[in-house]
């Protein structure tokens, strides 16, 4: 659960940065500049593809090996250049990078905040703060639900090698799909 909340903190930090950029009007540049949007889009898609390949390699290793799932995941993480839990896993950094490189999240905050903040209001910063707080509370509830469900699933995966390999393959395929979808996205 500690690792899950470290990753959630990365998402919240990324969202806070995106909300701040949106409030400052900087994020609107991505919407107005197709080249900047393209750069963020391709960097994000490449990062998701890298994660997907690492997960699929780990799953393949689980199918072929008789070693424990925890050992295989640690080895796959080391091979992919990600520090294993024993070596100081960095879920916060990984989640922060994914959050900051997500052009859809950037455009969401730009589109969402603009609709609900009246520039004629005497204190528009208060509107941004309230909206940002509500978005963070909703994110905290959602990510907490995922963390608690994930903790139970992780225990089941540690006991069942085939289930773990299949789930890791499926998540890798989903990340691959996200990378392709992001690569094909337009502003």
């Amino acid at each position: 659960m500690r690792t899950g909340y470290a990753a959630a903190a990365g998402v919240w930090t990324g969202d806070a940065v995106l909300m701040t950029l949106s409030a400052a009007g900087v994020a609107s540049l991505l919407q107005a500049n197709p080249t900047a949007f393209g750069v963020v889009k391709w960097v994000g898609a490449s990062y998701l593809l890298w994660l997907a390949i690492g997960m699929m390699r780990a799953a393949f290793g689980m199918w072929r090996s008789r070693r424990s799932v925890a050992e295989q995941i640690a080895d796959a993480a080391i091979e992919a250049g990600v520090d294993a839990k024993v070596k100081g896993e960095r879920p916060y950094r990984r989640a922060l990078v994914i959050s900051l490189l997500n052009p859809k999240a950037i455009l969401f905050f730009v589109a969402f905040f603009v609709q609900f903040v009246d520039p004629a209001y005497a204190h528009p910063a208060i509107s941004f703060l309230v909206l940002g707080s509500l978005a963070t509370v909703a994110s905290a509830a959602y990510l907490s639900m995922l963390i608690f469900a994930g903790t139970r699933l992780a225990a089941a995966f540690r006991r069942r090698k085939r289930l773990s390999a299949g789930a890791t393959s499926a998540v890798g395929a989903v990340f691959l799909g996200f990378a392709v979808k992001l690569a094909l996205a337009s502003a």
Side-chain angles (χ1 to χ4, degrees):
M1 289 183 48
R2 181 176 294 157
T3 302
Y5 276 107
V11 171
W12 296 325
T13 303
D15 287 352
V17 168
L18 295 177
M19 287 181 236
T20 303
L21 291 174
S22 176
V26 175
S28 299
L29 294 174
L30 283 180
Q31 195 171 21
N33 187 337
T35 303
F37 177 82
V39 168
V40 172
K41 176 178 81 166
W42 284 106
V43 169
S46 298
Y47 187 64
L48 286 173
L49 178 64
W50 180 76
L51 291 174
I53 290 170
M55 287 178 187
M56 291 181 158
R57 288 181 62 206
F60 182 72
M62 286 180 219
W63 285 110
R64 295 193 60 191
S65 176
R66 297 197 185 274
R67 294 180 308 143
S68 76
V69 173
E71 291 171 344
Q72 293 174 48
I73 290 173
D75 289 347
I78 290 169
E79 288 175 18
V82 177
D83 294 337
K85 189 173 189 175
V86 178
K87 305 257 186 203
E89 184 178 56
R90 297 187 179 169
Y92 174 85
R93 183 179 66 179
R94 179 181 281 194
L96 178 63
V97 169
I98 290 172
S99 182
L100 291 175
L101 293 178
N102 184 351
K104 295 295 184 182
I106 294 166
L107 294 178
F108 167 76
F109 285 118
V110 169
F112 181 77
F113 279 35
V114 170
Q115 291 181 26
F116 296 102
V117 176
D118 181 11
Y121 179 62
H123 305 288
I126 293 174
S127 299
F128 275 106
L129 184 62
V130 169
L131 286 173
S133 297
L134 291 174
T136 302
V137 167
S139 178
Y142 172 72
L143 290 175
S144 291
M145 181 184 69
L146 290 179
I147 290 166
F148 286 115
T151 301
R152 290 186 181 255
L153 288 173
F157 290 149
R158 279 191 290 275
R159 292 188 304 269
R160 295 178 184 90
K161 179 179 172 181
R162 286 186 181 190
L163 179 62
S164 180
T168 302
S169 299
V171 171
V174 168
F175 271 53
L176 181 62
F178 286 154
V180 169
K181 183 176 179 176
L182 181 57
L184 298 175
S186 61

